[in-house]
Structures are given as structure tokens and as C-alpha cells.
């Protein structure tokens, strides 16, 4: 078509789009694409309207997800379930129960009591946020909430330790009980640290792993210290 | 070596292609950034090649007399070169080229803050080692930090120190008051926040004040050496590391032991601070330079002594003897039983 135009113009005036006649698309450059229009595809969510199901089902689904993650923490294998479907319900429940159990220590002592509820809460959440920021700044590939989720769930062994400590303290508060508490807390501290490291260490650059693991160690150490020094009124 | 005669290189006056130029080997670490900021047109090809393959080693034209280990940056600051001679740092690894180009991201992006955490494990450990064992004649900043100040060390060393002091103080008080009948153990959690405030204030406000002071003096007297704010924060942060084992050893309830520990820690980290900041003030008025050094060391000492006084109760010497006697009494009593 451009050539016809050219011949009409006679060559005196420059034809429009002159250069286009020389343009050709070589055959070996593939032109790809899709022009299909999706016709009413059934996405899985459409069949799964949560509005019609009984409330019990909704709650049980979330509880099961949380429970599954608890199991993952207690037996830390390298599964990606904890990371993929993160949720913060588990950490919230653990943090609140830990803070409540630590609450009773020296509540009416004016100055130098144990940590109050708000202090434990802030330490756990602020500590988790700082560690997550630290690992992201060092070049980690994990997302913010995934990391919070892992750190929160790995408080579970320490919550169990707190429960055990309170029970032991109900029985006696002498040296023997202290040694029992010390052993339990140390074991749970090791478990927490190993569990969270197992989940988080892979997402870090290899020559900075120790830089990321150390704050996690410090975080669980502080929580363990608060558990160990808990003295009931 | 002799290759220090490399002339500060300035684009685009000297073309790359001439063979007799003298040599520089470009670092292959971050070639993309390297070329991005300061590449004149004739380097475009190289830049495109590098962009395609960031791990490739870049062009290297060797000076005949150069030690192959040396890496010289382009645009090398001749002032810093001279100063390194004076400080006696014979380190061959100078990648100062990247100094001005590192923090190029705007400050509201996450990448900007990532540049302050660009350290590997071995680098952090080296810096800690350098702060604890000062080498006479070597400058901590030049030797270890080398235009890559990090915030990881200062932040986490301060955090560790806060909890080390709080926990050690609690433990030490527990052991000191153990025998007393009226004593009831309290975890003393309030002291954590006090320790945190004190230590973080020291680690951030004192460097700020010192940096401001040095800038002010710099405007009056031309100093050879000038430090950026982050480098000063870095030095202070790492110099606090020695207090962590000191705090743990302060659990020992002997006054003499505690004071010896204070002296040793102060000598080690104080000397790191002095050796770092002396070159920055020595060109100044003699009295001001000396006053600055004395203030730096004095503040460092005040922190240590303040922590010792506030968090660690004084071991009561005349209580230890009766408790020892009481223990002997109980041992005898149990034996007779």
C-alpha cells in the first residue's frame, strides 16, 4: 500500500510513511501473546462463600490452622506451611497468656517488681518487630509478617515452660524447685531458639546468618530470664 | 608502596584507552553503582556490559610497579592519602571510590537504611576485636570501618549491654543479700528501662555532641581528618563492647575486683577512642585538643562508674564474715545431726 502511494506521488513529494515500506518483521522473531478471554472461570473462592456456613465452621478452620502451626513449632521440620500462611492469632494468644502468667509476680511491690502485663506485651511485640527489621535490613528475603508470625509462634515452648514453672512454684519454692525450673526453662529456651532459627535462617544471605540469629537468641534469652525470675507473691 | 603516586583521576580529561596512564584496578564488588554515578560517555559500553553481568570483574590496567593486591580508587582524596601515611595504616585495601556513592538512595526508601547494615559476620567480629585490642598506631575507623559504617554493631551491642548490666546487677544483688533473713528476691525490672535510657543516650547523644564539636572546630582550623556522624556512632558503639564481659564479671562481690575491671575496661576502650579522635583534634589549639580527649575519656569512665554504682549494690564486707560463720555453724550442726 505504501508503494502504491509512492507511485502516485510520482516521487517528487516525499510520500507519507516513507520509511514503512522498508520495515519488515523478520520471520524468526516470534510474536507471542494470548488473546483468550476467560469465560466465567470458577475461582475456588466463589464456591467457598464463608457467609453461609455456620459460625462454628469458620472458627474451627482458624483454630485448626493455629493448631497446625503449633504442631509445626513443637516439631520443627523445614516445612513452609508456617511461612506461607502466616497469621498472628497464635502469637497474640501466646503473648497474652504469657503476659498474664507473668503478671502475678510482685504486683504490689512499688519499685522493683517483676514485669507488668504491658511491659511483657511490649517487649515481645517490639522485640519481634525489631528483629524482623534487623533481618530485613541485613538483606533477608522473608516478608515482615511472616517473620513476626514465626517469632511469635516460637514463643510456645517458653509459654509451656512458664506453665510448668507456675505449677512447680505452687508445690514448693526451695532450691530443688529452682533447679527444676532452671532446667525446664533452659531446655525450652533452646527449643525456641532452634525452632525459630530452623524457619528463619534459610531466608538470610549465608555470610550473615550469625548476625541474624544472635538477636533471636537475645530475644528468647530475655523472655526466659523473665520466666525464670518470676516470684509469686 | 610506591604506587601511591597515582594521581587523582578526573573524568573526562584523561581517556581510558591510553596505556601509559598508570593503573587502577576497579573493584568488582559493586560495579553497577560505580559506573552509574560518574561515567562519561566513553564508558557507556563498559557500563552496559557490566549492567548485563554484574559479577564480572571490570577493566583493569595494571601499573608496572603496583603490588597486585593493591586496589586504588579513582578520585582518591589526597588528603586522606596523606593522613593514612601519617597514621601509619599500610592497608592496601582501599576502596574509597565507593565512599561517596554508597548512600545514593533517598532517605525515605528502605534501601537507604539497608546501606547501614551492609556488613558480614566476619566484619562485625573484626570490628569487635579491634575495639577490644587496640593496636598502637592504628586508627579504628581507618582500619576497620573504612567508609562502611554500620548501625548493626552499635545497636545490638547497646541492647546486649543494657540487659547484661540489668541481669548481672540483679544476680549480684541476689548473691550479696542471700544470707540475710529479711531479704526477698525481686527481679528489679524497672532498672532495665533506666539502663536502656542511659546507655542509648550515651551511645547516640555523645557522638552527636562530639561530631558537632568537631565540625565546629573544623570550620575554624583546617583538620586533616574529619569523621562523619555515623563513623563516630560506630566507634562509640563498638567501644562499648568491652563493658559486656566487664558487667558479667561484676557479679563477683569484691570491691577490689570490680575496680580493677573498671580500670582495665577503661584503658582498653578509652585508648581506642583516644587513638581514633586524637588525629581529628591534634591540629587544633593544644589546650582544646587535650580538653576534648580528657572529656571523651571522662564520659566513658562516668558511664562505667555510674552503672557500677547504680546497678550493683556495694558488697558489705562485714556481712560476709558473719554469714561465713553462720554457714560454718550450720555445717557443724548438720554434721552432729
Amino acid at each position: 500500500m505504501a508503494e502504491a502511494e509512492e507511485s502516485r506521488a510520482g516521487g517528487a513529494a516525499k510520500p507519507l510513511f516513507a520509511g514503512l515500506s522498508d520495515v519488515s518483521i523478520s520471520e524468526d522473531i516470534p510474536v507471542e501473546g494470548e488473546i483468550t478471554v476467560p469465560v466465567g472461570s470458577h475461582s475456588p473462592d466463589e464456591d467457598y462463600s464463608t457467609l453461609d456456613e455456620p459460625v462454628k465452621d469458620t472458627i474451627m478452620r482458624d483454630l485448626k490452622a493455629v493448631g497446625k502451626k503449633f504442631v509445626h513449632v513443637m516439631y520443627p521440620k523445614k516445612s513452609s506451611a508456617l511461612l506461607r500462611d502466616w497469621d498472628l492469632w497464635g502469637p497474640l494468644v501466646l503473648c497474652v497468656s504469657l503476659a498474664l502468667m507473668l503478671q502475678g509476680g510482685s504486683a504490689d511491690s512499688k519499685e522493683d517488681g517483676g514485669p507488668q502485663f504491658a511491659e511483657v506485651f511490649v517487649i515481645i511485640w517490639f522485640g519481634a518487630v525489631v528483629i524482623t527489621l534487623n533481618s530485613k535490613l541485613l538483606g533477608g528475603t522473608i516478608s515482615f509478617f511472616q517473620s513476626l508470625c514465626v517469632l511469635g509462634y516460637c514463643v510456645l515452648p517458653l509459654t509451656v515452660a512458664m506453665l510448668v514453672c507456675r505449677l512447680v512454684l505452687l508445690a514448693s519454692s526451695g532450691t530443688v524447685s529452682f533447679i527444676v525450673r532452671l532446667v525446664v526453662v533452659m531446655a525450652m529456651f533452646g527449643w525456641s531458639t532452634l525452632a525459630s532459627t530452623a524457619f528463619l535462617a534459610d531466608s538470610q544471605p549465608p555470610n550473615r546468618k550469625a548476625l541474624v540469629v544472635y538477636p533471636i537468641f537475645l530475644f528468647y534469652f530475655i523472655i526466659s530470664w523473665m520466666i525464670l525470675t518470676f516470684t509469686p507473691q | 608502596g610506591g604506587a601511591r603516586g597515582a594521581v587523582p583521576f578526573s573524568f573526562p580529561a584523561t581517556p581510558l584507552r591510553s596505556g601509559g596512564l598508570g593503573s587502577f584496578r576497579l573493584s568488582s564488588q559493586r560495579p553497577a553503582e560505580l559506573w552509574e554515578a560518574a561515567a562519561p560517555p566513553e564508558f557507556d559500553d563498559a557500563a552496559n556490559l557490566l549492567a548485563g553481568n554484574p559479577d564480572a570483574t571490570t577493566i583493569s590496567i595494571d601499573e608496572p610497579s603496583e603490588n597486585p593486591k593493591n586496589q586504588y580508587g579513582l578520585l582518591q582524596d589526597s588528603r586522606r592519602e596523606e593522613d593514612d601515611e601519617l597514621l601509619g595504616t599500610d592497608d592496601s585495601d582501599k576502596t574509597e571510590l565507593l565512599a561517596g556513592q554508597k548512600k545514593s538512595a533517598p532517605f525515605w526508601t528502605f534501601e537507604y537504611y539497608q546501606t547501614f547494615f551492609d556488613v558480614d559476620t566476619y566484619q562485625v567480629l573484626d570490628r569487635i576485636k579491634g575495639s577490644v585490642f587496640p593496636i598502637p598506631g592504628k586508627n579504628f575507623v581507618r582500619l576497620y570501618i573504612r567508609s562502611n559504617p554500620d548501625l548493626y554493631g552499635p545497636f545490638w551491642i547497646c541492647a546486649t549491654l543494657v540487659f547484661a548490666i540489668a541481669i548481672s546487677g540483679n544476680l549480684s544483688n541476689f548473691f550479696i543479700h542471700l544470707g540475710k533473713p529479711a531479704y526477698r528476691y525481686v527481679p528489679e525490672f524497672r532498672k532495665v528501662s533506666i539502663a536502656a535510657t542511659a546507655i542509648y543516650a550515651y551511645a547516640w547523644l555523645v557522638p552527636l555532641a562530639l561530631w558537632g564539636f568537631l565540625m565546629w572546630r573544623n570550620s575554624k582550623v583546617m583538620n586533616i581528618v574529619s569523621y562523619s556522624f555515623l563513623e563516630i556512632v560506630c566507634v562509640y558503639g563498638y567501644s562499648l563492647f568491652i563493658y559486656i564481659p566487664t558487667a558479667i564479671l561484676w557479679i563477683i562481690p569484691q570491691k577490689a575486683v570490680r575496680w580493677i575491671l573498671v580500670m582495665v575496661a577503661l584503658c582498653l576502650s578509652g585508648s581506642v577512642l583516644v587513638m581514633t579522635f586524637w588525629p581529628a583534634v591534634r591540629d587544633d589549639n593544644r589546650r582544646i585538643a587535650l580538653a576534648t580527649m580528657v572529656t571523651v575519656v571522662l564520659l566513658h569512665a562516668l558511664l562505667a562508674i555510674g552503672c557500677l554504682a547504680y546497678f550493683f549494690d556495694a558488697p558489705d564486707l562485714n556481712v560476709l564474715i558473719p554469714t561465713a560463720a553462720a554457714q560454718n555453724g550450720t555445717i557443724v550442726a548438720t554434721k552432729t545431726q
Side-chain angles (χ1 to χ4, degrees), chain A residues 111-113 115-116 119 123 130 134 136-138 207-208 210-211 214-215 221-222 225-226 229 231-233, chain B residues 110 113-114 117-121 124 152 155-156 159-160 163 167 170-171 184-191:
Chain A
E111 268 295 314
D112 292 334
Q116 300 301 317
E119 288 168 338
I123 282 186
V130 165
N134 176 64
K136 283 189 77 71
L137 283 168
L138 282 170
N207 47 350
R208 294 178 183 184
L211 295 184
Y214 171 71
F221 182 79
I222 293 165
W225 177 258
M226 288 196 296
T229 61
T231 47
Q233 276 295 53
Chain B
F110 193 69
Y113 299 100
Q114 267 184 322
F117 283 78
D118 197 10
V119 278
D120 294 336
T121 309
V124 172
Y152 177 89
F155 182 78
W156 287 108
T160 312
F163 288 105
I167 291 177
N170 197 227
L171 270 179
R184 221 188 132 260
Y185 170 74
V186 282
E188 288 177 329
F189 196 74
R190 297 290 168 284
K191 294 197 169 173

Side-chain angles (χ1 to χ4, degrees), chain A residues 114-125:
Chain A
Q116 300 301 317
F117 180 91
E119 288 168 338
V120 178
F121 205 80
V122 162
I123 282 186
I124 292 182
W125 284 103

Side-chain angles (χ1 to χ4, degrees), chain B residues 196-242:
Chain B
T197 315
I199 288 170
Y200 274 101
Y202 177 80
W204 288 86
L205 293 181
V206 171
L208 186 65
L210 187 60
W211 174 75
F213 176 75
L214 287 178
M215 287 291 117
W216 174 61
R217 294 310 299 173
N218 238 352
S219 66
K220 304 206 157 185
V221 177
M222 200 56 213
N223 278 325
I224 295 180
V225 177
S226 66
Y227 297 120
S228 72
F229 172 60
L230 281 171
E231 287 173 344
I232 301 183
V233 166
C234 224
V235 174
Y236 264 88
Y238 281 102
S239 73
L240 284 178
F241 177 80
I242 186 81

Side-chain angles (χ1 to χ4, degrees), chain A residues 10-53:
Chain A
K14 227 175 166 198
L16 287 172
F17 313 121
L20 276 184
S21 56
D22 302 323
V23 173
S24 63
I25 297 180
S26 141
E27 275 151 11
D28 34 353
I29 301 179
V31 176
E32 297 186 353
E34 245 184 17
I35 328 178
T36 55
V37 175
V39 184
S41 62
H42 291 288
S43 61
D45 294 332
E46 274 182 19
D47 301 336
Y48 203 47
S49 161
T50 57
L51 212 52
D52 295 331
E53 65 178 9

